[in-house]
Amino acid sequence: MKAYDGMYIDGAWRPAAGPDVIEVVNPADEQVIATVPAGTAEDVDAAVRAARAALPAWAATPPAERAARLATLRDVLVTRQEEIAETVTAELGSPKKLSQAVHAGVPVAVAGSYADLAATYAFEERTGNSTVLHEPVGVVGAITPWNYPLHQVVAKTAPALAAGCTIVVKPAEDTPLVARLFADAVHTAGIPAGVFNLVTGLGPVAGQALAEHPDVDLVSFTGSTAVGRRIGAIASGAVKKVALELGGKSANVILPSADLARAVGVGVANVMSNSGQTCSAWTRMLVHRDRYEEAVELAAAAAAKYGDRIGPLVNAGQRERVRGYIEKGVAEGARLVAGGPESPRERGYFVSPTVFADVTPDMTVAQEEIFGPVLSVLRYEDEEDALRIANGTVYGLAGAVWAGDEAEAVAFARRMETGQVDINGGRFNPLAPFGGYKQSGVGRELGVHGLTEYLQTKSLQF
């Protein structure tokens, strides 16, 4: 076990204000692998003051120079991908292949995309007799989740820095180690002191102090809808800008003309990826009544293949939460066709890949975000019924549509109340805006839309 010291504040690792620490546990074997400082409001204040002091110079730095610094940061991340993957596997339990491809690979692409955007974005433009300036919003407080621990840090830090903002990051307490690696990468890349700051700590202490701090101009949060509401309330009291990426209960709509085997196979893989700990996972599979039983059989067979291939859930509390949802699904009358609440291993926070059939739209497992490897298969009567079910939750983050004809799938997707829809297995695009409708959040991440979240506009009339 390694005991890490200090917070990364104003370009250096500085001693924490208090003596308390957070234990980091490997969820695959339940062993403590490290400790990090449990930050206090005093640590947060020091980090915000450093970010405020660094803001004028960084905001005045030419965009081309900010782009060059981000490109260097991307290059540093490339050299450390193996270490990043190993760290995520240790603290999140993610299988090594997933850690390499997604947890280490995607942040490199995102950092690179903002290096390009910083160099090409029109921070000034003319409209009529006015010059419109797109200026940094100021000091950003970023509170990131544990399920994609580096991606979410980069998805907030890279656009903030590209925009000319400075930032204080409070990573999730379950997965702080890869955030510390990122702080080292920032330092190596030569990002000026105070532009990026890192405070580890608990959400109700360090996270709340960051959201409440009067010198934070924008709070960017990814996590549960319940916490998002709390942060939104805190920010509104101070008239702060917020960007909230929250929960999801996304629908995977398989129209009658679709390649059923492919749609089901990809759909199950989507739900099981990252052990189901993905806010945009397609956890509701909607199938026409005439092909429903065939789809259920395919889904159950596909899920069974993931038994030894997915990692654990992040902690004991999350495991029990997911097992509770599985038990509730059974109690409410859903038919269990794969998996179940029993733990498949003696050690580690594992849950079996689970598939429910005969799920009705009003059941808890069809309405609430479970955040585990649990798929609900629902039947629909016709296209209008499918649309009603797909749109029938408080969430609207992502989704998928499958059809034999692409135009048919696109026409259906246009009517879905959700922020992102994959058509016939469309690939992830790091330049496309990501964010939700309804209670799935406010604002967008990634690409140019993610950059504009960190900008404010000023017009000069001539």
Side-chain angles (χ1 to χ4, degrees), residues 82-266:
E82 187 63 24
E83 184 181 8
I84 289 167
E86 290 175 355
T87 301
V88 174
T89 292
E91 63 182 348
L92 181 62
S94 170
K96 189 66 180 292
K97 279 189 177 181
L98 183 68
S99 293
Q100 290 170 327
V102 176
H103 292 291
V106 172
V108 169
V110 172
S113 74
Y114 281 110
D116 295 339
L117 274 170
T120 58
Y121 184 79
F123 287 93
E124 292 190 17
E125 57 184 330
R126 287 289 292 177
T127 178
N129 66 308
S130 301
T131 294
V132 178
L133 310 178
H134 301 282
E135 299 180 333
V137 73
V139 174
V140 175
I143 303 171
T144 62
W146 46 260
N147 60 327
Y148 290 93
L150 182 59
H151 166 63
Q152 287 294 336
V153 170
V154 173
K156 298 179 189 306
T157 300
L161 269 54
C165 298
T166 56
I167 190 167
V168 178
V169 173
K170 203 295 287 183
E173 48 263 38
D174 287 296
T175 55
L177 303 184
V178 77
R180 291 181 65 94
L181 279 182
F182 181 71
D184 280 331
V186 166
H187 192 84
T188 302
I191 304 295
V195 172
F196 173 88
N197 306 272
L198 179 75
V199 175
T200 55
L202 301 175
V205 180
Q208 181 157 332
L210 186 57
E212 291 177 340
H213 201 289
D215 271 340
V216 169
D217 301 295
L218 181 153
V219 181
S220 180
F221 169 78
T222 298
S224 72
T225 297
V227 177
R229 289 193 195 101
R230 171 64 180 155
I231 288 174
I234 291 170
S236 67
V239 199
K240 292 182 186 181
K241 188 175 182 181
V242 294
L244 304 173
E245 197 269 284
L246 308 175
K249 194 68 183 176
S250 301
N252 179 18
V253 182
I254 304 175
L255 297 176
S257 62
D259 179 338
L260 185 66
R262 180 164 180 259
V264 171
V266 174

Side-chain angles (χ1 to χ4, degrees), residues 136 227 322 340 349 366 377:
V227 177
V322 173
Y349 308 128
V377 187

